[in-house]
Amino acid sequence: MLLARLAAPPLTIGTPANQRRRRRAVVLFLDWLEQQPGETWQERWQSSGIADDPRADWRPAAAQWLQDSGRTGTIGHEGLVTAVTSGLGQLIYADILRPPMAWLVTSPIRFPLGREIPRLRDPRGFAALAEQATAAGLSFDQRRHAVEQVSVILTAKGGTVADITVGDCLELIELRDRRKAEGAGHPGWGFYQLLHVIGHFPPDAPTTLRMLDRRFGHQLSVEELVDQYALACRPVRDLLVAYLAEHRPRLDYASLKQLAYHLVKLFWKDLENHHPGIDSLRLPPDIATAWKSRTAVKSVTVRTADGRRVETTEPRTDAATLLTTVRAFYLDLSHWASEEPERWAAWAVPCPVRRTDIGTTKDTARRKSRMDQRTRERLPHLPALRRHVDDARVQATALLKAADRTPPGETFSHGATSLRRTRMATGSSRIWAEDPTTGTRRDLTREDDTAFWTWAAVEVLQATGIRIEELTELSHHSLVQYRLPSTGELVPLLHITPSKNDLERLLVISPELADVLAAIIHRVRDATGAVPLVVPYDVHEHEFTPAMPVLFQHRHGADARPLSATTLRRWITDAANSMGLTDASGSLLDFKPHDFRRIFATEAIMNGMPPHICQLIMGHANINTTMGYKAVYPEEAITGHRAYLARRRDLRPSTEYRSPTDKEWEEFLGHFEHRKVSLGSCGRAYGTGCIHEHACIRCPLLRTDPAQLPRLLEIRDNLIARIDEAREHGWLGEVDGLNVSVSAANNKIAQLEESARRTTDLGMPRFHDIAPHTISPTTGPHLSPDA
């Protein structure tokens, strides 16, 4: 009956000769397996010892037994080895034998499960899997690996694709991770996302395998944080565990890890390494001095000009923080000893870190000087960086579109770049091209993705001054509209969720920023027009948060995934390095995300924004922090000027602060009417007259109306004609004055053209059509239907 089942469709395939050869292989394998104890074939398989050591090759012994028993006919030893391998495969495909998953993953015998199991077990289920993989844009190799992983599960567990559980997936993941640690290849985990999207898992199942990865969604306990450094002194180890446990309720997980790193690794572990057998916090002066000297520097690996990696030392930038942490540790123990002497008194000893060791005045001054220098070096290059990333985005998009229109093997061009679209042996959701001269292959899909998100990150960071963590947490719900109660005008706002200081704030969105946000939403929206929900990762608490319509997201395999701060940092650095800019020392001038924050604060205060308003926009808890970010004027000048204004206000009569009369109010409104000129409007402050004798074209306060560009061009051409006339008559003084006006006109024309060039027509509605929230003083917030 078993042989008849193996000879029936769909197990039969190939020519009659092949079918007879497979039947003979099954008979030989069953002859050998029949000698093993057990009632069923599965029991005989388990008692044969094959599954006990997956790496052992059992086939030579089976072939030898068959030869000794005289059942082989004319088949040689090598032929018998091949036959028993084929026979085992036939029984596995027919679900007669179910090897454990560990055996299938570890055994050197590789069966084509990804080809045979979909054909024999559950064709409909695998077809649905393939359909979902195609819809998700998986490459040919990703689809093949997903089918292979699902086939391994069905081979070991039986059933159909719909019967696979999360536990089955976790078992396979653990086995594959173990094999990866041993140096084996790793096929990826796209199969889990596909099974989840198809809907075979319960609603509370993790949406992504990253949520099950210990590197991400796992917090070590206080004991695990300490024990990872393998301290030799058990009493001190227990003390550090108790100390960290006391501080755990008030710290986020990232801060707790940093505290453990400082106290356990850099302090006590370092003492144990250099002074074996130490078991007391009471450090002799020579040991304390030696430790403080070691903490002042750290070992780093640098690459020399010839490419060699050399171990060297450099000053530790957070040395003062480390000393402060250790001093706080000793002082906490002394203070707690007075409250709970039975628990802490034995550890209350003199602190080896004196107050003079952690004087922060000099370090603060050095850090402020270093950060100011970074800002001064980078601020002039910010417009060039913005143009560079914008040009790279346009170039990458154009190349991708040109390649998409080009048949494989044909050459296409955009600008000065000529490429040939690559012929792919297998289907791929990505578009590849190669240099016709060098043959270097380029993933144009990835290049377009990188270029777009680099541009988007630079634009949002420089326009808002938000932190990189806040950037990655921006969601569709962050776009808010506020309706003014007086005029009903809608003001676009960007809601920044609480982050470092647990301060939430609302930022007014400029027209340029609105264009960028519209482009982002246009890119991430799915087929239904909604922003997909993704699961963000909280780097401070080391845990995954509920799914949100995060704006900075992209496709990663079978699922959408938020862009991490690390990825954005790397892309921005690569973009800056590709420009070839250098600093005063000749090193490449890189841009970090926090540089945009400092530049934002510097430019805001330079352009007249009150420091306390800048503080609110930046989300700082202390205005001194805001003042530390600007890098143009000394703190004393700002503080002194503000104090002067306060004293002058105290001396002026209180009548100046009364409510204005109707006449005064009309005069105030009339001031703005008098600021309107032919080319736009004047930006001079209320109560001031024109100080440039109405030479508006030269005035930096002129806000040019884009609609007046033709008039501005006409004025520029007229000025050029007047310069020619003045040169003909020898009016050289007139030529100098007119040249100044021409230069000012060219600058304003360039500003208008740059603004027009940066405006992207996406065929999208205005901002109020993409903002999910509208806030009204009378009705409160409302959620847009498509949010």
Side-chain angles (χ1 to χ4, degrees), residues 469-629:
E469 293 81 7
E470 295 168 339
L471 176 77
T472 58
E473 293 173 358
L474 289 178
S475 70
H476 196 195
H477 300 310
S478 301
L479 307 181
V480 179
Q481 301 176 122
Y482 178 74
R483 188 179 301 276
L484 295 177
S486 56
T487 63
E489 178 185 0
L490 289 176
V491 178
L493 301 174
L494 189 64
H495 179 224
I496 307 301
T497 56
S499 58
K500 184 175 181 180
N501 293 322
D502 291 333
L503 297 176
E504 64 177 351
R505 56 199 191 277
L506 290 170
L507 306 181
V508 177
I509 296 178
S510 65
E512 294 81 6
L513 179 58
D515 290 341
V516 175
L517 295 175
I520 292 174
I521 293 178
H522 178 75
R523 186 179 185 88
V524 302
R525 273 179 166 164
D526 57 21
T528 64
V531 177
L533 297 178
V534 295
V535 181
Y537 178 68
D538 189 337
V539 296
H540 297 291
E541 291 294 347
H542 285 214
E543 63 183 11
F544 289 91
T545 59
M548 291 284 292
V550 174
L551 295 184
F552 279 78
Q553 61 170 274
H554 67 159
R555 299 294 305 181
H556 189 280
D559 63 329
R561 182 178 297 181
L563 285 164
S564 68
T566 302
T567 299
L568 293 175
R569 287 192 187 97
R570 184 178 71 252
W571 287 350
I572 293 174
T573 299
D574 292 344
N577 290 342
S578 66
M579 298 176 63
L581 302 175
T582 57
D583 56 18
S585 64
S587 303
L588 285 175
L589 193 70
D590 63 332
F591 271 80
K592 303 296 184 184
H594 221 68
D595 290 327
F596 297 99
R597 187 165 169 82
R598 295 189 183 95
I599 291 174
F600 178 88
T602 298
E603 288 190 320
I605 295 178
M606 281 177 58
N607 288 283
M609 179 180 289
H612 65 286
I613 300 299
C614 185
Q615 173 196 353
L616 296 177
I617 293 177
M618 299 286 287
H620 288 147
N622 193 317
I623 195 171
N624 290 327
T625 305
T626 306
M627 300 303 294
Y629 270 60

Side-chain angles (χ1 to χ4, degrees), residues 27 90 223 253 269 487 555 571 641 644 691 693 754 773:
V27 170
Q90 300 302 312
E223 291 80 3
Y253 182 71
K269 186 62 176 178
T487 63
R555 299 294 305 181
W571 287 350
H641 189 199
Y644 162 72
I691 61 175
E693 298 180 358
E754 175 69 12
H773 296 286

